[in-house]
PDB file of all heavy atoms in Angstrom:
ATOM      1  N   THR U 872     259.621 111.657 180.172  1.00 98.00           N
ATOM      2  CA  THR U 872     260.175 112.831 180.893  1.00 98.00           C
ATOM      3  C   THR U 872     259.568 114.151 180.486  1.00 98.00           C
ATOM      4  O   THR U 872     259.774 115.139 181.094  1.00 98.00           O
ATOM      5  CB  THR U 872     261.672 112.909 180.727  1.00 98.00           C
ATOM      6  OG1 THR U 872     261.984 112.990 179.332  1.00 98.00           O
ATOM      7  CG2 THR U 872     262.364 111.676 181.303  1.00 98.00           C
ATOM      8  N   VAL U 873     258.806 114.135 179.343  1.00 98.00           N
ATOM      9  CA  VAL U 873     258.351 115.402 178.746  1.00 98.00           C
ATOM     10  C   VAL U 873     256.879 115.238 178.358  1.00 98.00           C
ATOM     11  O   VAL U 873     256.513 114.261 177.724  1.00 98.00           O
ATOM     12  CB  VAL U 873     259.173 115.749 177.462  1.00 98.00           C
ATOM     13  CG1 VAL U 873     258.585 117.040 176.838  1.00 98.00           C
ATOM     14  CG2 VAL U 873     260.663 115.945 177.818  1.00 98.00           C
ATOM     15  N   THR U 874     256.085 116.241 178.745  1.00 98.00           N
ATOM     16  CA  THR U 874     254.684 116.324 178.270  1.00 98.00           C
ATOM     17  C   THR U 874     254.629 117.503 177.264  1.00 98.00           C
ATOM     18  O   THR U 874     255.133 118.616 177.506  1.00 98.00           O
ATOM     19  CB  THR U 874     253.729 116.590 179.447  1.00 98.00           C
ATOM     20  OG1 THR U 874     253.719 115.414 180.232  1.00 98.00           O
ATOM     21  CG2 THR U 874     252.319 116.855 178.910  1.00 98.00           C
ATOM     22  N   ARG U 875     254.015 117.276 176.130  1.00 98.00           N
ATOM     23  CA  ARG U 875     253.982 118.214 174.989  1.00 98.00           C
ATOM     24  C   ARG U 875     252.546 118.646 174.747  1.00 98.00           C
ATOM     25  O   ARG U 875     251.608 118.026 175.097  1.00 98.00           O
ATOM     26  CB  ARG U 875     254.614 117.610 173.750  1.00 98.00           C
ATOM     27  CG  ARG U 875     256.010 117.052 173.989  1.00 98.00           C
ATOM     28  CD  ARG U 875     256.566 116.306 172.811  1.00 98.00           C
ATOM     29  NE  ARG U 875     257.815 115.654 173.121  1.00 98.00           N
ATOM     30  CZ  ARG U 875     259.013 116.245 173.023  1.00 98.00           C
ATOM     31  NH1 ARG U 875     259.115 117.532 172.659  1.00 98.00           N
ATOM     32  NH2 ARG U 875     260.133 115.596 173.295  1.00 98.00           N
ATOM     33  N   LYS U 889     254.462 123.326 171.947  1.00 98.00           N
ATOM     34  CA  LYS U 889     255.584 123.481 172.811  1.00 98.00           C
ATOM     35  C   LYS U 889     255.622 122.323 173.838  1.00 98.00           C
ATOM     36  O   LYS U 889     254.657 121.583 173.977  1.00 98.00           O
ATOM     37  CB  LYS U 889     255.514 124.813 173.599  1.00 98.00           C
ATOM     38  CG  LYS U 889     254.298 124.934 174.466  1.00 98.00           C
ATOM     39  CD  LYS U 889     254.201 126.310 175.082  1.00 98.00           C
ATOM     40  CE  LYS U 889     255.340 126.588 176.062  1.00 98.00           C
ATOM     41  NZ  LYS U 889     255.163 127.831 176.841  1.00 98.00           N
ATOM     42  N   GLU U 890     256.760 122.211 174.535  1.00 98.00           N
ATOM     43  CA  GLU U 890     256.800 121.430 175.761  1.00 98.00           C
ATOM     44  C   GLU U 890     256.123 122.196 176.897  1.00 98.00           C
ATOM     45  O   GLU U 890     256.312 123.441 177.031  1.00 98.00           O
ATOM     46  CB  GLU U 890     258.251 121.165 176.202  1.00 98.00           C
ATOM     47  CG  GLU U 890     259.045 120.267 175.246  1.00 98.00           C
ATOM     48  CD  GLU U 890     260.428 119.995 175.766  1.00 98.00           C
ATOM     49  OE1 GLU U 890     260.712 120.324 176.933  1.00 98.00           O
ATOM     50  OE2 GLU U 890     261.271 119.482 174.963  1.00 98.00           O
ATOM     51  N   VAL U 891     255.261 121.532 177.637  1.00 98.00           N
ATOM     52  CA  VAL U 891     254.607 122.180 178.748  1.00 98.00           C
ATOM     53  C   VAL U 891     255.032 121.705 180.120  1.00 98.00           C
ATOM     54  O   VAL U 891     254.844 122.358 181.135  1.00 98.00           O
ATOM     55  CB  VAL U 891     253.075 122.054 178.607  1.00 98.00           C
ATOM     56  CG1 VAL U 891     252.577 122.863 177.412  1.00 98.00           C
ATOM     57  CG2 VAL U 891     252.632 120.618 178.586  1.00 98.00           C
ATOM     58  N   LEU U 892     255.663 120.524 180.204  1.00 98.00           N
ATOM     59  CA  LEU U 892     256.059 119.966 181.452  1.00 98.00           C
ATOM     60  C   LEU U 892     257.277 119.034 181.152  1.00 98.00           C
ATOM     61  O   LEU U 892     257.256 118.304 180.181  1.00 98.00           O
ATOM     62  CB  LEU U 892     254.927 119.154 182.109  1.00 98.00           C
ATOM     63  CG  LEU U 892     255.166 118.253 183.306  1.00 98.00           C
ATOM     64  CD1 LEU U 892     255.709 119.140 184.480  1.00 98.00           C
ATOM     65  CD2 LEU U 892     253.999 117.501 183.722  1.00 98.00           C
ATOM     66  N   SER U 893     258.223 119.043 182.062  1.00 98.00           N
ATOM     67  CA  SER U 893     259.354 118.148 181.983  1.00 98.00           C
ATOM     68  C   SER U 893     259.920 117.905 183.397  1.00 98.00           C
ATOM     69  O   SER U 893     259.626 118.641 184.342  1.00 98.00           O
ATOM     70  CB  SER U 893     260.417 118.610 181.036  1.00 98.00           C
ATOM     71  OG  SER U 893     261.167 119.688 181.655  1.00 98.00           O
ATOM     72  N   THR U 894     260.731 116.862 183.506  1.00 98.00           N
ATOM     73  CA  THR U 894     261.352 116.535 184.793  1.00 98.00           C
ATOM     74  C   THR U 894     262.216 117.678 185.309  1.00 98.00           C
ATOM     75  O   THR U 894     262.360 117.853 186.542  1.00 98.00           O
ATOM     76  CB  THR U 894     262.169 115.238 184.686  1.00 98.00           C
ATOM     77  OG1 THR U 894     263.102 115.412 183.625  1.00 98.00           O
ATOM     78  CG2 THR U 894     261.293 114.046 184.415  1.00 98.00           C
ATOM     79  N   ARG U 895     262.767 118.471 184.422  1.00 97.00           N
ATOM     80  CA  ARG U 895     263.655 119.556 184.868  1.00 97.00           C
ATOM     81  C   ARG U 895     262.853 120.653 185.610  1.00 97.00           C
ATOM     82  O   ARG U 895     263.508 121.488 186.295  1.00 97.00           O
ATOM     83  CB  ARG U 895     264.402 120.175 183.691  1.00 97.00           C
ATOM     84  CG  ARG U 895     263.525 120.958 182.725  1.00 97.00           C
ATOM     85  CD  ARG U 895     264.416 121.577 181.624  1.00 97.00           C
ATOM     86  NE  ARG U 895     263.572 122.377 180.752  1.00 97.00           N
ATOM     87  CZ  ARG U 895     262.960 121.887 179.650  1.00 97.00           C
ATOM     88  NH1 ARG U 895     263.041 120.593 179.370  1.00 97.00           N
ATOM     89  NH2 ARG U 895     262.241 122.669 178.910  1.00 97.00           N
ATOM     90  N   LEU U 896     261.579 120.678 185.543  1.00 98.00           N
ATOM     91  CA  LEU U 896     260.714 121.668 186.222  1.00 98.00           C
ATOM     92  C   LEU U 896     260.282 121.186 187.558  1.00 98.00           C
ATOM     93  O   LEU U 896     259.636 121.862 188.316  1.00 98.00           O
ATOM     94  CB  LEU U 896     259.514 122.007 185.385  1.00 98.00           C
ATOM     95  CG  LEU U 896     259.758 122.620 184.017  1.00 98.00           C
ATOM     96  CD1 LEU U 896     258.482 122.846 183.225  1.00 98.00           C
ATOM     97  CD2 LEU U 896     260.570 123.873 184.127  1.00 98.00           C
ATOM     98  N   MET U 897     260.699 119.963 187.950  1.00 98.00           N
ATOM     99  CA  MET U 897     260.285 119.361 189.199  1.00 98.00           C
ATOM    100  C   MET U 897     261.531 119.145 190.073  1.00 98.00           C
ATOM    101  O   MET U 897     262.636 119.338 189.654  1.00 98.00           O
ATOM    102  CB  MET U 897     259.584 118.026 188.936  1.00 98.00           C
ATOM    103  CG  MET U 897     258.386 118.123 188.041  1.00 98.00           C
ATOM    104  SD  MET U 897     257.088 119.291 188.690  1.00 98.00           S
ATOM    105  CE  MET U 897     256.624 118.414 190.161  1.00 98.00           C
ATOM    106  N   GLU U 903     259.987 110.907 185.893  1.00 98.00           N
ATOM    107  CA  GLU U 903     258.900 110.912 184.910  1.00 98.00           C
ATOM    108  C   GLU U 903     257.919 111.968 185.267  1.00 98.00           C
ATOM    109  O   GLU U 903     257.584 112.235 186.430  1.00 98.00           O
ATOM    110  CB  GLU U 903     258.155 109.547 184.959  1.00 98.00           C
ATOM    111  CG  GLU U 903     258.977 108.347 184.522  1.00 98.00           C
ATOM    112  CD  GLU U 903     258.180 107.090 184.618  1.00 98.00           C
ATOM    113  OE1 GLU U 903     257.179 106.923 183.843  1.00 98.00           O
ATOM    114  OE2 GLU U 903     258.522 106.220 185.411  1.00 98.00           O
ATOM    115  N   THR U 904     257.428 112.642 184.195  1.00 98.00           N
ATOM    116  CA  THR U 904     256.306 113.607 184.294  1.00 98.00           C
ATOM    117  C   THR U 904     255.415 113.387 183.083  1.00 98.00           C
ATOM    118  O   THR U 904     255.669 114.017 182.045  1.00 98.00           O
ATOM    119  CB  THR U 904     256.820 115.059 184.365  1.00 98.00           C
ATOM    120  OG1 THR U 904     257.799 115.221 183.288  1.00 98.00           O
ATOM    121  CG2 THR U 904     257.515 115.348 185.695  1.00 98.00           C
ATOM    122  N   SER U 905     254.463 112.539 183.211  1.00 98.00           N
ATOM    123  CA  SER U 905     253.665 112.121 182.067  1.00 98.00           C
ATOM    124  C   SER U 905     252.235 111.799 182.435  1.00 98.00           C
ATOM    125  O   SER U 905     251.866 111.969 183.570  1.00 98.00           O
ATOM    126  CB  SER U 905     254.348 110.874 181.360  1.00 98.00           C
ATOM    127  OG  SER U 905     254.628 109.918 182.346  1.00 98.00           O
ATOM    128  N   ALA U 907     249.432 113.306 181.572  1.00 98.00           N
ATOM    129  CA  ALA U 907     248.810 114.544 182.045  1.00 98.00           C
ATOM    130  C   ALA U 907     247.428 114.707 181.441  1.00 98.00           C
ATOM    131  O   ALA U 907     247.171 114.346 180.295  1.00 98.00           O
ATOM    132  CB  ALA U 907     249.673 115.725 181.615  1.00 98.00           C
ATOM    133  N   MET U 923     246.331 121.236 185.659  1.00 98.00           N
ATOM    134  CA  MET U 923     246.882 120.004 185.124  1.00 98.00           C
ATOM    135  C   MET U 923     247.114 119.023 186.226  1.00 98.00           C
ATOM    136  O   MET U 923     247.581 119.421 187.304  1.00 98.00           O
ATOM    137  CB  MET U 923     248.187 120.258 184.380  1.00 98.00           C
ATOM    138  CG  MET U 923     248.845 118.991 183.822  1.00 98.00           C
ATOM    139  SD  MET U 923     250.528 119.264 183.175  1.00 98.00           S
ATOM    140  CE  MET U 923     250.203 120.288 181.735  1.00 98.00           C
ATOM    141  N   VAL U 924     246.794 117.746 186.027  1.00 98.00           N
ATOM    142  CA  VAL U 924     247.175 116.687 186.954  1.00 98.00           C
ATOM    143  C   VAL U 924     247.964 115.667 186.107  1.00 98.00           C
ATOM    144  O   VAL U 924     247.640 115.454 184.908  1.00 98.00           O
ATOM    145  CB  VAL U 924     245.972 116.018 187.628  1.00 98.00           C
ATOM    146  CG1 VAL U 924     245.445 116.996 188.683  1.00 98.00           C
ATOM    147  CG2 VAL U 924     244.889 115.591 186.643  1.00 98.00           C
ATOM    148  N   PHE U 925     248.959 114.980 186.733  1.00 98.00           N
ATOM    149  CA  PHE U 925     249.815 114.164 185.981  1.00 98.00           C
ATOM    150  C   PHE U 925     250.473 113.133 186.886  1.00 98.00           C
ATOM    151  O   PHE U 925     250.395 113.225 188.120  1.00 98.00           O
ATOM    152  CB  PHE U 925     250.882 114.937 185.212  1.00 98.00           C
ATOM    153  CG  PHE U 925     251.755 115.795 186.060  1.00 98.00           C
ATOM    154  CD1 PHE U 925     252.962 115.382 186.584  1.00 98.00           C
ATOM    155  CD2 PHE U 925     251.334 117.052 186.407  1.00 98.00           C
ATOM    156  CE1 PHE U 925     253.727 116.197 187.401  1.00 98.00           C
ATOM    157  CE2 PHE U 925     252.131 117.925 187.257  1.00 98.00           C
ATOM    158  CZ  PHE U 925     253.353 117.459 187.674  1.00 98.00           C
ATOM    159  N   MET U 926     251.110 112.091 186.294  1.00 98.00           N
ATOM    160  CA  MET U 926     251.857 111.095 187.048  1.00 98.00           C
ATOM    161  C   MET U 926     253.266 111.578 187.269  1.00 98.00           C
ATOM    162  O   MET U 926     253.932 112.085 186.362  1.00 98.00           O
ATOM    163  CB  MET U 926     251.874 109.768 186.345  1.00 98.00           C
ATOM    164  CG  MET U 926     252.463 108.616 187.160  1.00 98.00           C
ATOM    165  SD  MET U 926     252.998 107.243 186.143  1.00 98.00           S
ATOM    166  CE  MET U 926     254.493 107.957 185.339  1.00 98.00           C
ATOM    167  N   LEU U 927     253.736 111.424 188.506  1.00 98.00           N
ATOM    168  CA  LEU U 927     255.024 111.906 188.943  1.00 98.00           C
ATOM    169  C   LEU U 927     255.824 110.703 189.490  1.00 98.00           C
ATOM    170  O   LEU U 927     255.358 110.023 190.366  1.00 98.00           O
ATOM    171  CB  LEU U 927     254.837 112.955 189.968  1.00 98.00           C
ATOM    172  CG  LEU U 927     256.036 113.676 190.598  1.00 98.00           C
ATOM    173  CD1 LEU U 927     256.715 114.513 189.546  1.00 98.00           C
ATOM    174  CD2 LEU U 927     255.540 114.575 191.738  1.00 98.00           C
ATOM    175  N   ARG U 945     248.879 126.931 178.336  1.00 98.00           N
ATOM    176  CA  ARG U 945     250.153 126.771 177.618  1.00 98.00           C
ATOM    177  C   ARG U 945     251.364 126.925 178.537  1.00 98.00           C
ATOM    178  O   ARG U 945     252.350 126.170 178.412  1.00 98.00           O
ATOM    179  CB  ARG U 945     250.263 127.780 176.474  1.00 98.00           C
ATOM    180  CG  ARG U 945     249.331 127.594 175.305  1.00 98.00           C
ATOM    181  CD  ARG U 945     249.440 128.762 174.304  1.00 98.00           C
ATOM    182  NE  ARG U 945     250.802 129.133 174.040  1.00 98.00           N
ATOM    183  CZ  ARG U 945     251.535 128.575 173.028  1.00 98.00           C
ATOM    184  NH1 ARG U 945     250.989 127.649 172.288  1.00 98.00           N
ATOM    185  NH2 ARG U 945     252.754 128.955 172.784  1.00 98.00           N
ATOM    186  N   TRP U 947     252.896 127.062 182.322  1.00 98.00           N
ATOM    187  CA  TRP U 947     252.476 126.412 183.529  1.00 98.00           C
ATOM    188  C   TRP U 947     253.402 126.672 184.689  1.00 98.00           C
ATOM    189  O   TRP U 947     254.608 126.854 184.549  1.00 98.00           O
ATOM    190  CB  TRP U 947     252.362 124.910 183.297  1.00 98.00           C
ATOM    191  CG  TRP U 947     251.272 124.543 182.354  1.00 98.00           C
ATOM    192  CD1 TRP U 947     251.371 124.496 181.016  1.00 98.00           C
ATOM    193  CD2 TRP U 947     249.957 124.205 182.712  1.00 98.00           C
ATOM    194  NE1 TRP U 947     250.145 124.198 180.475  1.00 98.00           N
ATOM    195  CE2 TRP U 947     249.266 123.998 181.481  1.00 98.00           C
ATOM    196  CE3 TRP U 947     249.256 124.082 183.913  1.00 98.00           C
ATOM    197  CZ2 TRP U 947     247.902 123.624 181.461  1.00 98.00           C
ATOM    198  CZ3 TRP U 947     247.913 123.696 183.877  1.00 98.00           C
ATOM    199  CH2 TRP U 947     247.294 123.484 182.672  1.00 98.00           C
ATOM    200  N   PHE U 949     254.155 124.611 188.464  1.00 98.00           N
ATOM    201  CA  PHE U 949     253.897 123.304 189.037  1.00 98.00           C
ATOM    202  C   PHE U 949     254.235 123.268 190.552  1.00 98.00           C
ATOM    203  O   PHE U 949     255.279 123.819 190.964  1.00 98.00           O
ATOM    204  CB  PHE U 949     254.756 122.248 188.293  1.00 98.00           C
ATOM    205  CG  PHE U 949     254.360 122.136 186.869  1.00 98.00           C
ATOM    206  CD1 PHE U 949     255.116 122.724 185.845  1.00 98.00           C
ATOM    207  CD2 PHE U 949     253.210 121.442 186.517  1.00 98.00           C
ATOM    208  CE1 PHE U 949     254.792 122.602 184.545  1.00 98.00           C
ATOM    209  CE2 PHE U 949     252.815 121.351 185.170  1.00 98.00           C
ATOM    210  CZ  PHE U 949     253.613 121.952 184.188  1.00 98.00           C
TER     211      PHE U 949
END
Side-chain angles (χ1 to χ4, degrees):
T872 57
V873 178
T874 294
R875 307 174 186 275
K889 60 185 296 186
E890 293 183 12
V891 293
L892 170 62
S893 73
T894 53
R895 70 177 182 274
L896 300 176
M897 302 303 295
E903 296 178 65
T904 48
S905 51
M923 178 190 292
V924 287
F925 57 95
M926 188 199 73
L927 180 67
R945 291 173 47 88
W947 293 86
F949 297 101

